[in-house]
Amino acid sequence: MTKIDTSRPEQILPTPSHTVGPFYGYALPFPGGPDIAPVGHPDTLTLQGYVHDGEGNALPDAFLELWGPDPEGNLPQVDGSIRRDPATGGYLGRNGVEFTGWGRVQTDANGHWYARTLRPGARGDSAPYLSVCVFARGLLVHLFTRIYFPSDEAALAADPLLARLPEERRDTLIARPQADGTYRFDVRLQGEGETVFLEFT
């Protein structure tokens, strides 16, 4: 056992640094992660936006997972999102045919993300929405939220979750149509304009 004389600072070595994870960008992305809609589907829509921290800075290493029903409101029951090459074990990406309703998206260096999917159909009393899970630095536990679409004001007004929120908070869950035909949905982790997050018990 080595003894260190603490009265001599030159003998005290600094504690090794520890790297803080998890590293969402290392093992979780896969080819075609944002391409949820089948290749060439005529009703494909594009969602895009940014993930911001509490000070409004865009996060270049955040991660989103999206789930949603098909346009008829049915939950997909098919495989096909992540396929592996049986010979190498590497990712092959999606099969390009099946709609699984699930995607995994990493923000780029500017904190921007996008996904191509089909507009979800309504389920039960809820207006059509996509479920979102957000992973980002500084979050010890991932966050859940929703993305609603603005096309049916009556359905949005009657949605049980949205009806419980003040209007200014409700707007943080509704994607905004853009001039280029995409829908914009930004995630704000805290601070002014913080996205409404859900807690499941």
Side-chain angles (χ1 to χ4, degrees):
M1 177 180 213
T2 304
K3 293 188 177 181
I4 297 175
D5 182 357
T6 57
S7 66
R8 298 179 58 198
E10 65 274 8
Q11 285 191 348
I12 300 175
L13 300 176
T15 303
S17 61
H18 295 281
T19 306
V20 177
F23 301 104
Y24 302 118
Y26 174 68
L28 294 179
F30 66 97
D35 299 314
I36 305 168
V39 175
H41 196 290
D43 298 325
T44 299
L45 62 83
T46 300
L47 281 162
Q48 54 92 14
Y50 292 85
V51 178
H52 299 279
D53 65 15
E55 296 179 348
N57 301 314
L59 296 179
D61 51 4
F63 211 87
L64 282 74
E65 288 189 348
L66 296 91
W67 299 270
D70 66 20
E72 288 74 46
N74 301 311
L75 294 176
Q77 301 290 317
V78 295
D79 295 329
S81 292
I82 302 178
R83 298 177 306 134
R84 290 188 179 273
D85 184 317
T88 66
Y91 287 123
L92 292 175
R94 297 182 184 275
N95 66 16
V97 177
E98 304 290 350
F99 177 71
T100 64
W102 179 79
R104 185 180 280 167
V105 186
Q106 186 174 11
T107 57
D108 65 16
N110 297 314
H112 184 260
W113 67 275
Y114 79 92
R116 289 186 284 268
T117 189
L118 301 179
R119 182 183 293 275
R123 293 179 49 78
D125 295 331
S126 297
Y129 69 86
L130 296 175
S131 295
V132 182
C133 185
V134 181
F135 303 82
R137 69 171 103 158
L139 293 180
L140 298 180
V141 179
H142 45 274
L143 302 172
F144 295 97
T145 189
R146 290 180 177 180
I147 301 175
Y148 288 89
F149 294 88
S151 56
D152 189 339
E153 292 300 326
L156 292 173
D159 182 88
L161 172 65
L162 293 177
R164 294 171 55 192
L165 301 173
E167 186 171 350
E168 66 275 9
R169 301 286 287 139
R170 187 181 314 140
D171 287 344
T172 70
L173 298 180
I174 302 173
R176 299 186 313 273
Q178 304 296 291
D180 61 1
T182 66
Y183 286 87
R184 174 88 180 257
F185 185 82
D186 293 340
V187 176
R188 181 73 180 257
L189 297 179
Q190 60 181 194
E192 185 177 349
E194 177 183 326
T195 301
V196 170
F197 296 106
L198 311 176
E199 182 175 285
F200 296 97
T201 57

